[in-house]
Amino acid sequence: MTPTVDQLDTDVLIVGGGLAGLRAAIAAAEGGVSVMVACKRKAGRSGNTLVAEGGIAVSSSDVDPGDSIEQHIEDTLTSGKGLCDPVLTRLLAENSEKEVFGLSRFGVVLGRDKSGDLLRGQPPGHTKRRSLRTETDHLPKNARGQSITLPLLKFAENLGVTFLDRTPVLRLVSRDGAIEGALTMDEEKERYLFIRTKAIIIAAGGAGQMFSHTNNTADITGDSYALALDAGATLRDLEFPQFYPNWGISPFRSTISSVMMGDGAILRNKDQERFMPRYYPEAKDMATRDQTSLAIFREVQAGRGVEGGVYFDASGVDREVLEVKYHHLTEAMRRLGLEFGKDPVIITPVVHHYMGGISVNGHLESGVRGLLAAGEACGGTHGANRLSGNALSECVVFGALSGAAAAEYAKRREVPHSAGEESIAAMLPPLAFQEEGPDIADLRREMREINWKKNGIIRTEENLLAGLGAIGKIRDLLQGGKIRKPDHIIRYHELLNMLDTSEAAIRSALIRKESRGAHFREDYPKEDNENWLGNVFVRKGDAGIEAWFEPIPASVETKASSAPAK
């Protein structure tokens, strides 16, 4: 059957129903405009916030008396290896206290110890104990992010926000450099929806599912970046996926918070050697995520790994700290008849977060009028490496700011022209329902393996070029892929988004001929500030996806551009 097409109207459309999207929806609705949220799965119950460990970075003297906004900025800039956008980094730090503690207005509860004090931690890379946590003991260990998202979802619903669940956005529609709407598909009713809108906020997360090894949820497939590219926006820093070093693979599969390193946990290889001091004598096990992931990979390469990973030794963590702050992990071990801190736990690096994303200015605006971004969809805040806890802070801070900015923009703008039947028909994908051809699921699995092997933790020009060629072949095969029913159209577009984002990421990695942060080139193993202190940008041109490098101006620390790069 051929899906039907209906049209809806709203002032602000938000793509994505995770933390950034929900906070943006609340801010826009409180700004006095109509708001609609289109989510690929279920708002509040999907996306990476769902499986987040709950650590939120807050620069506040009430959390750590010795902390300050300036110290938070300095730590973030240091971790970013000189590539952070200082405007965005300052926005994050200056607004973190207001927005994180402001979550209580929506019903979010911050975690406290038995004495009633806030649970605080110091993850690697932070010089102060500025990591807070939400109260999550009542939730499953792989759905603890609902401690934040479900209260915000309820609050947004009470404000009158319209939620379109299981309605992925297939493409954005822009004209003369301004957003006009979005083509979506209602998966349950098997119908297309054209949503006419004055402003769109992209908050659909990162791209972890491009890789065969990731702790991202299944719906995080690079949609944010591909949709923005197709609408005419510019991306930046896509050569920097963050590899999370502490993904438990035995005896359970779960993220183990790097905050625990600040509480006394260490890493050991198969010979029980504490190996991190050999790679980073000063930081040791408090090295940043990019450093730790590379060290683990090197240990495995040298034959000192355990089942493709290393041992996570929590025996140095105080038992009360384990039972209170990491209760979900101690309980998970007990259910297996084991004790966390005594019995062996094995971890390995996986793709966790994307530092790069949509290039935005200090108002979270892209170069397309009416198109904004929030959360992991944004690029620039983290540079070459992200500090733990800054992701959830970025979601609430940039969600609030983008929502307010979109509302103000929508109030000033006239309603775009209504799309006629012929215009909507022209937007529909030129796909025929067919029984023959490659299976889209098989092509997706092949693409994920290619990205992990050719554009993973360690890269070379040879591998990157091979990956680029293989991605192109999958793109060609996709055109004749099996499409038997309407939901296959969604899978088709999802894979197409993954391929566009994969190509943008590989082209970015090819350009940067040095090693910096999460980007490690074995053929260029040293950081090169003389030639590569700058950012790689990506856009879609007449010839397809193109990437280029721009050095950071010498005056960038005191004067940052107020508009995204073109």
Side-chain angles (χ1 to χ4, degrees):
M1 63 171 289
T2 300
T4 60
V5 183
D6 294 322
Q7 183 167 312
L8 301 175
D9 289 279
T10 188
D11 290 325
V12 175
L13 172 66
I14 294 165
V15 184
L19 177 55
L22 291 169
R23 185 64 187 92
I26 291 172
E30 291 183 331
V33 298
S34 60
V35 182
M36 200 173 280
V37 176
C39 187
K40 188 189 292 188
R41 290 192 169 179
K42 294 189 72 115
R45 294 177 172 85
S46 59
N48 279 339
T49 310
L50 177 71
V51 295
E53 281 294 289
I56 312 176
V58 184
S59 43
S60 168
S61 58
D62 290 337
V63 177
D64 187 326
D67 202 4
S68 66
I69 289 171
E70 296 304 323
Q71 188 60 56
H72 190 180
I73 292 171
E74 183 178 334
D75 289 351
T76 302
L77 293 175
T78 299
S79 177
K81 307 293 184 183
L83 302 191
C84 302
D85 182 329
V87 172
L88 299 181
T89 301
R90 181 165 290 277
L91 275 178
L92 175 69
E94 287 184 341
N95 290 278
S96 64
E97 182 175 31
K98 171 189 172 184
E99 289 301 332
V100 172
F101 284 112
L103 289 172
S104 62
R105 178 165 73 97
F106 313 124
V108 177
V109 179
L110 294 176
R112 297 181 181 272
D113 61 22
K114 294 179 180 179
S115 302
D117 295 326
L118 288 169
L119 288 174
R120 291 168 287 185
Q122 183 179 347
H126 288 278
T127 58
K128 304 295 179 182
R129 294 179 68 82
R130 65 171 66 97
S131 177
L132 301 182
R133 310 188 69 75
T134 54
E135 178 55 59
T136 59
D137 283 350
H138 59 295
L139 294 166
K141 66 181 176 68
N142 287 328
R144 300 170 75 218
Q146 290 182 359
S147 61
I148 310 176
T149 58
L150 293 188
L152 267 67
L153 173 65
K154 183 177 180 180
F155 196 93
E157 288 174 335
N158 289 338
L159 286 175
V161 174
T162 299
F163 286 91
L164 304 176
D165 287 338
R166 303 189 69 82
T167 305
V169 174
L170 304 184
R171 61 169 298 192
L172 304 184
V173 179
S174 59
R175 182 183 301 176
D176 299 327
I179 281 295
E180 292 199 333
L183 179 68
T184 74
M185 175 173 273
D186 182 332
E187 188 168 2
E188 292 182 351
K189 296 182 179 179
E190 295 186 343
R191 61 172 181 165
Y192 288 110
L193 293 174
F194 177 71
I195 302 174
R196 185 173 60 161
T197 185
K198 299 175 182 178
I200 293 178
I201 301 172
I202 298 181
Q209 286 296 330
M210 286 185 352
F211 298 85
S212 56
H213 293 70
T214 182
N215 62 357
N216 284 195
T217 53
D219 51 333
I220 303 300
T221 56
D223 302 324
S224 293
Y225 314 136
L227 289 171
L229 270 181
D230 200 46
T234 300
L235 309 181
R236 60 177 288 170
D237 303 334
L238 279 191
E239 68 271 37
F240 297 113
Q242 184 167 60
F243 300 92
Y244 191 84
N246 301 345
W247 173 248
I249 57 173
S250 177
F252 54 76
R253 300 184 71 82
S254 178
T255 298
I256 300 176
S257 175
S258 56
V259 175
M260 204 184 300
M261 315 312 288
D263 292 322
I266 61 174
L267 303 180
R268 297 185 185 277
N269 59 24
K270 74 170 186 178
D271 302 320
Q272 294 299 315
E273 175 198 8
R274 183 186 181 187
F275 61 86
M276 287 300 293
R278 177 152 41 83
Y279 295 95
Y280 306 103
E282 294 185 7
K284 302 181 178 65
D285 295 271
M286 286 291 283
T288 52
R289 290 173 175 180
D290 57 319
Q291 295 171 332
T292 304
S293 294
L294 184 57
I296 293 172
F297 192 84
R298 289 299 198 198
E299 288 296 296
V300 173
Q301 268 191 327
R304 296 187 291 269
V306 186
E307 298 178 21
V310 296
Y311 290 118
F312 186 92
D313 181 359
S315 61
V317 182
D318 183 86
R319 176 52 52 181
E320 183 177 347
V321 172
L322 280 176
E323 294 294 346
V324 175
K325 192 186 292 188
Y326 309 105
H327 180 69
H328 64 295
L329 294 175
T330 58
E331 280 300 303
M333 290 285 279
R334 283 197 188 98
R335 285 193 290 269
L336 297 170
L338 303 169
E339 185 173 346
F340 197 68
K342 290 187 177 180
D343 291 298
V345 173
I346 301 172
I347 56 130
T348 192
V350 290
V351 174
H352 177 62
H353 181 94
Y354 247 90
M355 271 76 77
I358 303 167
S359 183
V360 296
N361 62 17
H363 302 290
L364 287 310
E365 300 165 328
S366 73
V368 180
R369 297 192 305 281
L371 182 63
L372 302 89
E376 196 175 348
C378 290
T381 310
H382 312 294
N385 186 59
R386 177 180 68 82
L387 286 179
S388 173
N390 274 354
L392 292 186
S393 299
E394 182 181 39
C395 284
V396 293
V397 169
F398 289 2
L401 294 174
S402 65
E408 288 304 309
Y409 176 84
K411 289 176 184 177
R412 299 191 305 267
R413 187 181 178 190
E414 294 182 1
V415 178
H417 295 296
S418 180
E421 291 185 10
E422 290 185 4
S423 297
I424 293 177
M427 299 175 203
L428 301 182
L431 302 175
F433 290 92
Q434 54 195 30
E435 293 290 332
E436 302 301 322
D439 188 84
I440 292 175
D442 290 340
L443 293 177
R444 173 176 168 140
R445 280 190 289 272
E446 183 180 349
M447 181 218 62
R448 297 179 74 221
E449 282 295 326
I450 289 166
N451 275 315
W452 180 254
K453 292 176 180 177
K454 305 301 183 183
N455 191 29
I457 293 176
I458 293 181
R459 301 159 172 178
T460 64
E461 182 165 344
E462 180 181 4
N463 279 342
L464 290 168
L465 287 172
L468 192 61
I471 292 296
K473 290 179 181 178
I474 292 176
R475 191 189 298 277
D476 292 339
L477 290 170
L478 181 60
Q479 307 306 316
K482 296 177 185 176
I483 297 177
R484 299 191 186 96
K485 52 185 179 177
D487 74 300
H488 287 184
I489 295 175
I490 294 174
R491 306 287 85 80
Y492 171 91
H493 276 273
E494 188 174 70
L495 181 52
L496 193 61
N497 287 343
M498 296 169 88
L499 292 169
D500 279 353
T501 302
S502 296
E503 182 178 342
I506 294 174
R507 290 192 183 279
S508 298
L510 274 166
I511 282 183
R512 186 173 291 281
K513 292 178 170 58
E514 65 156 355
S515 292
R516 184 184 298 265
H519 170 72
F520 184 80
R521 287 282 297 263
E522 195 162 43
D523 44 356
Y524 299 95
K526 294 183 179 180
E527 187 175 295
D528 181 359
N529 284 326
E530 183 176 348
N531 296 300
W532 293 104
L533 189 60
N535 304 97
V536 177
F537 294 90
V538 182
R539 66 184 168 203
K540 262 190 177 179
D542 294 338
I545 295 174
E546 55 188 32
W548 72 97
F549 174 78
E550 290 186 12
I552 294 176
S555 60
V556 74
E557 291 185 0
T558 56
K559 184 180 180 181
S561 172
S562 61
K566 298 292 185 182

